[in-house]
Amino acid sequence: MSVSKPPPPHSHFAPPPDSSTSSHLSIPPSSSTPSSPAPSRATSSAPRSLPPPSPVKISMQEHFAINVCPGPIMPIPQISDFFPRFHDYPMTPPPPREKKILKEPDFGLNNGGETDRENKEERKPIEVDRGERQEGVDSDDDDDETYLGTLEFTLLFDHENNCLHCTIHKAKGLKAMDSNGLADPYVKLHLLPGASKANKLRTKTLKNTLNPVWSETLMYHGITAIDMTTKTLRLCVCDMDRLGRNEFIGEVRVALKKLSEGESKRFKMGLERITQNKDINKETVEQGTPVAEEERGRILVSLCYSPEKSCLLVGIVRCAHLAAMDSNGYSDPFVKIVLQPDMGKKSKYKTTVKKKTLNPEFNEEFVYEVPHDQLAKKTLEISVWDYDLGMSNDFIGGVELGINAKGVRLKHWFECLKHIGKKVEYWHTLTQQGAPPEAPPQ
C-alpha cells in the first residue's frame, strides 16, 4: 500500500485544505485522469456512477513508525571484540612478531654470499644507531626526572664548643611543586644514624620561588670528635603545603668525616631522590620502649667552685638529642640534681620543664654551700626526666660526677677541684645511671 499526497493547488491563492483532514493522509482514487469537481444536482444529466472508495486514513504515529525496525535486532559490538586483552576468559598470548629484514634484490651482479655479507654490514650500523637513539631518549627522560635542583651550604666543626655550624646559602633550579609552577621551599637537617626528631633542624620557608636564598646558620650542639667520624648529615629540601602534606623535593648527604677541625668547607651538590628507610629513621618512639645508651642524649654541664662564697656552682646549660618518650615523638624534659651524701632539702634541685622538645636549653645555675676540702668526698647525680601530667615521670637518662666516676666524668670533676674559680664545661652522654628502681612484680 502506497501513500500519496493530495494534488497541489492550481494557484498560490488557493484556500487552505480542510482542517478536519489536516492530521490525516488520504489516498485518492486509482484513476488515470485527474478528478473533476462534482456537478451540482440541478445540472447533472450524466448517469450516476459508483461512489469512490473511502480513502484509507493513517495516523501520524503509524506513519512515523514505518521502517523503524527494518530487520532483526543486531547485538551491540563489545570492546572485547576489538581488544582481545579485555576478555574475561584467559587467552593465549600471540606469538612474538618476527623481525623482518628487507633484502635488496640480487640481479646477478654479485654472488649470493657477497650480497648477504653486504646486507649484514649495512644493517649493523642501523641497529647501533637505533640503540644509541633509544639510550639517548632514556637518558634524557632520566635527567628530567632526577634533576631536582642544586643546594649550596657550608659546614664548620667547632671542636672547642662541640658544635657543628651548618650555613644554608641558597638553592637553584628547584623542581616546581605547586600548580603555579613554583614552590615554597625549606630545608630540613638530620644527623644519621639517630632519631630524626631529636636531630631535626629546619630553615625558614620562602614563598613562591624556585631559586631561594636563605643565608641561615643552624647549629648542632653536643657533637664530639667521635660523631664526626661516624655521623652523616642529611639535608632535605621540601615544599611546604598548608592544605596538605609537605612534599619532598630532593636531598643530599655529607659524611662528617670529610670535614677537618676548624675548617669551613663549602658544598654545591645536586639534589637526589634517595629512598627513605623508615625502619632506620623512625619518626616516633613508642612510650615505654627501651632506648639504647647512645640514643638517650647528651647534657652540657658547667662546674665552678667559688672561693669567695665557698660554694659549688652547677650550671645546666642544655641537652641535645634526647630520647623521645611521648607518643608524639617528643618529650617534656627537665633535670634533677642531687649532691650525695644527702644534705637535706638543700641538696636537691630541679630545673623548669621545657615542653615538646628533644633539644632543650635551660641555662640555669644552682648553688651548693660546701667547703672545698669536703667536695672531694661528694658525688653529683644528674638525671633527665620527661614530665607527664597526672602520671609518673619517665626517666630518660643520667650521669654521675665524682671521685668514683670514670673517663670524661672523672676528668670533669678533677678539673673543677683543681682550677678554683674557673668554669669548666663538658658534654656528657646520658646513661642508665640514676634510673629509679623497678617496682617488684605483684
Side-chain angles (χ1 to χ4, degrees), residues 58 119 133 136 161 181-182 184 187 207 210 221 240 289 309 330 352 359 373 387 389:
I58 303 176
N119 291 337
R133 191 186 308 114
N161 300 318
L182 300 174
D184 303 329
V187 182
K207 299 290 186 179
L210 297 180
H221 297 277
M240 183 178 180
T289 303
K309 300 180 181 179
Y330 293 96
T352 57
N359 298 279
D373 55 352
Y387 176 77
L389 181 62

Side-chain angles (χ1 to χ4, degrees), residues 98-385:
E98 296 181 358
K99 203 171 187 180
K100 295 183 179 180
I101 301 175
L102 298 179
K103 296 183 179 181
E104 295 182 0
D106 185 11
F107 297 101
L109 299 177
N110 298 323
N111 297 330
E114 295 179 359
T115 304
D116 294 340
R117 191 183 305 111
E118 290 179 359
N119 291 337
K120 290 180 181 179
E121 291 177 356
E122 293 177 359
R123 288 195 305 271
K124 186 174 181 180
I126 297 176
E127 294 178 359
V128 172
D129 293 341
R130 289 179 180 177
E132 292 179 353
R133 191 186 308 114
Q134 186 67 25
E135 291 177 0
V137 173
D138 295 342
S139 62
D140 292 340
D141 293 342
D142 293 340
D143 290 341
D144 293 340
E145 293 178 359
T146 57
Y147 182 75
L148 307 170
T150 58
L151 180 65
E152 295 185 23
F153 57 95
T154 302
L155 301 180
L156 170 63
F157 175 58
D158 185 2
H159 180 68
E160 295 182 359
N161 300 318
N162 296 103
C163 294
L164 177 63
H165 301 261
C166 307
T167 303
I168 311 301
H169 298 293
K170 60 182 178 179
K172 186 176 180 181
L174 295 180
K175 182 179 179 181
M177 305 300 293
D178 297 339
S179 58
N180 57 1
L182 300 174
D184 303 329
Y186 66 93
V187 182
K188 290 191 303 182
L189 282 74
H190 300 282
L191 276 179
L192 304 177
S196 60
K197 286 194 175 181
N199 295 316
K200 183 177 73 171
L201 297 177
R202 173 174 169 173
T203 65
K204 58 187 177 182
T205 303
L206 301 181
K207 299 290 186 179
N208 298 328
T209 178
L210 297 180
N211 301 284
V213 179
W214 288 283
S215 299
E216 188 173 349
T217 301
L218 306 175
M219 295 177 61
Y220 277 105
H221 297 277
I223 303 299
T224 62
I226 299 177
D227 293 333
M228 296 299 294
T229 59
T230 59
K231 298 284 186 179
T232 299
L233 180 64
R234 173 188 174 199
L235 300 94
C236 300
V237 182
C238 302
D239 171 62
M240 183 178 180
D241 191 356
R242 291 184 178 180
L243 301 179
R245 187 177 181 181
N246 296 342
E247 295 179 325
F248 173 80
I249 298 178
E251 70 174 52
V252 295
R253 300 191 182 190
V254 179
L256 297 185
K257 61 183 179 181
K258 296 181 180 180
L259 301 178
S260 301
E261 181 181 344
E263 178 186 0
S264 179
K265 191 171 183 180
R266 189 180 182 110
F267 296 86
K268 182 178 180 181
M269 304 176 64
L271 298 177
E272 299 178 356
R273 283 192 176 273
I274 301 177
T275 305
Q276 304 178 13
N277 193 349
K278 297 182 180 180
D279 297 334
I280 297 178
N281 304 321
K282 293 185 178 179
E283 292 288 338
T284 59
V285 178
E286 297 181 0
Q287 188 175 359
T289 303
V291 184
E293 283 189 6
E294 60 272 9
E295 295 180 354
R296 291 187 174 273
R298 293 170 185 170
I299 184 169
L300 179 59
V301 181
S302 68
L303 298 178
C304 178
Y305 187 81
S306 175
E308 294 83 5
K309 300 180 181 179
S310 297
C311 61
L312 176 65
L313 304 178
V314 180
I316 305 299
V317 183
R318 65 168 64 244
C319 294
H321 316 156
L322 294 180
M325 306 303 293
D326 296 338
S327 58
N328 59 1
Y330 293 96
S331 296
D332 301 326
F334 67 95
V335 182
K336 289 182 181 180
I337 307 171
V338 180
L339 186 63
Q340 299 289 358
D342 195 353
M343 300 168 52
K345 293 183 179 180
K346 294 182 179 181
S347 64
K348 297 181 180 180
Y349 291 101
K350 184 191 300 185
T351 65
T352 57
V353 179
K354 303 297 180 179
K355 294 290 185 180
K356 196 179 179 182
T357 178
L358 300 178
N359 298 279
E361 185 175 357
F362 299 98
N363 292 322
E364 299 183 27
E365 193 172 61
F366 305 93
V367 180
Y368 287 102
E369 295 180 358
V370 56
H372 185 268
D373 55 352
Q374 296 183 8
L375 191 60
K377 302 177 183 179
K378 299 292 184 179
T379 299
L380 184 64
E381 296 181 356
I382 303 173
S383 57
V384 184
W385 298 76

